[in-house]
Amino acid sequence: MIQLQELQHSFGQGQLKQQVLHGISLSIQDGESVAITGPSGSGKSTLLSILGLLDTATAGQYLLRNQPVNQLSRQQKNQVRNRHIGWIFQNFNLIADMTALENVALPLRFNPEVATSAYRQRAAEVLAQVGLADKLHARPSKLSGGQQQRVAIARALVNKPGLILADEPTGNLDSATGQSIMDLLLQLATEGSALVMVTHDPTIASQCQRSVHLVDGRLSHAN
Ligand SMILES: Nc1ncnc2c1ncn2[C@@H]1O[C@H](COP(=O)(O)OP(=O)(O)O)[C@@H](O)[C@H]1O
Ligand SMILES: [Mg+2]
């Protein structure tokens, strides 16, 4: 699914240049679950943004399904991102004045394989899959944190992505709710999507098949 070879990333230019990733090499297989741990500022979110095609590495190679990402046009990158990558964030990032169903249906606009007339049914199916069949018409403000994260997971899944990226997905949840979200994410990984998850929480990280640890933009161990 993913191969990184000596990936580097820096922000800024000249004297202000800050090197954030120093030669990351890593392979992630289809359906694998990988936790990225490390102290604040070590480059975890930057690495995830590059994996999710939100940012482009300044050096090194990123192969996504054997395709060099730096050979894709901006339009091709958008297409891959919208169709094949699902994102989950710590603060859910739901649209406040849309219902759960409308939030989940949003990414379907980028999927030519799903007809507009089928959006509601597809979104309702995925919400049922995450245990929210009775909350289709609720707005985020009427939902608990755990329920909002389930909506965000449904939105990430609606296009059946091969790659799910999650940045501290349990960071704003109490530990019991966080564990139920983790169970759901791991279940999705067993259904074939690769899961790459940033977390501070060792209990959460240890449930992934693999953990990699970032310190100052370098992988300190990969097992
Ligand atoms: N858009 C940006 N512009 C400039 N510097 C950035 C940007 N994003 C992150 N950084 C810097 O890169 C370093 C790593 O940040 P980040 O990847 O967010 O770390 P983590 O997620 O591990 O806390 C930090 O020093 C941060 O200030
Ligand atoms: Mg971060």
Side-chain angles (χ1 to χ4, degrees), residues 90-166:
Q90 178 170 0
N91 57 1
F92 322 135
N93 284 12
L94 299 175
I95 296 177
D97 59 6
M98 287 188 173
T99 64
L101 192 78
E102 289 164 344
N103 268 284
V104 173
L106 267 183
L108 291 170
R109 290 185 199 180
F110 302 106
N111 190 343
E113 287 163 26
V114 180
T116 314
S117 58
Y119 283 8
R120 294 177 72 82
Q121 193 192 338
R122 173 77 192 133
E125 276 167 17
V126 189
L127 279 162
Q129 194 188 341
V130 301
L132 291 179
D134 57 342
K135 300 289 181 193
L136 303 186
H137 305 298
R139 289 180 205 282
S141 61
K142 302 283 187 235
L143 299 172
S144 70
Q147 289 171 333
Q148 289 183 58
Q149 192 61 305
R150 283 173 189 274
V151 175
I153 291 171
R155 180 183 55 187
L157 291 180
V158 76
N159 280 329
K160 303 187 169 136
L163 177 61
I164 298 171
L165 300 174

Side-chain angles (χ1 to χ4, degrees), residues 10-181:
S10 54
F11 292 107
Q13 304 257 311
Q15 287 197 320
L16 293 176
K17 182 169 156 177
Q18 184 195 3
Q19 184 84 22
V20 173
L21 298 177
H22 301 263
I24 305 282
S25 298
L26 181 66
S27 295
I28 298 172
Q29 311 304 316
D30 287 6
E32 196 174 19
S33 55
V34 178
I36 301 175
T37 60
S40 187
S42 57
K44 304 182 297 296
S45 294
T46 302
L47 178 57
L48 213 61
S49 297
I50 292 171
L51 293 180
L53 310 184
L54 293 174
D55 206 346
T56 306
T58 47
Q61 193 163 49
Y62 174 12
L63 302 179
L64 181 59
R65 292 193 189 285
N66 298 317
Q67 169 133 47
V69 159
N70 63 7
Q71 287 174 10
L72 298 176
S73 67
R74 178 183 291 260
Q75 196 186 357
Q76 287 171 318
K77 277 188 198 170
N78 286 339
Q79 208 171 5
V80 172
R81 195 169 61 227
N82 291 326
R83 284 296 317 287
H84 302 293
I85 301 177
W87 271 97
I88 300 160
F89 301 92
Q90 178 170 0
N91 57 1
F92 322 135
N93 284 12
L94 299 175
I95 296 177
D97 59 6
M98 287 188 173
T99 64
L101 192 78
E102 289 164 344
N103 268 284
V104 173
L106 267 183
L108 291 170
R109 290 185 199 180
F110 302 106
N111 190 343
E113 287 163 26
V114 180
T116 314
S117 58
Y119 283 8
R120 294 177 72 82
Q121 193 192 338
R122 173 77 192 133
E125 276 167 17
V126 189
L127 279 162
Q129 194 188 341
V130 301
L132 291 179
D134 57 342
K135 300 289 181 193
L136 303 186
H137 305 298
R139 289 180 205 282
S141 61
K142 302 283 187 235
L143 299 172
S144 70
Q147 289 171 333
Q148 289 183 58
Q149 192 61 305
R150 283 173 189 274
V151 175
I153 291 171
R155 180 183 55 187
L157 291 180
V158 76
N159 280 329
K160 303 187 169 136
L163 177 61
I164 298 171
L165 300 174
D167 199 345
E168 300 273 6
T170 62
N172 280 351
L173 304 173
D174 65 76
S175 60
T177 309
Q179 185 57 52
S180 75
I181 291 298

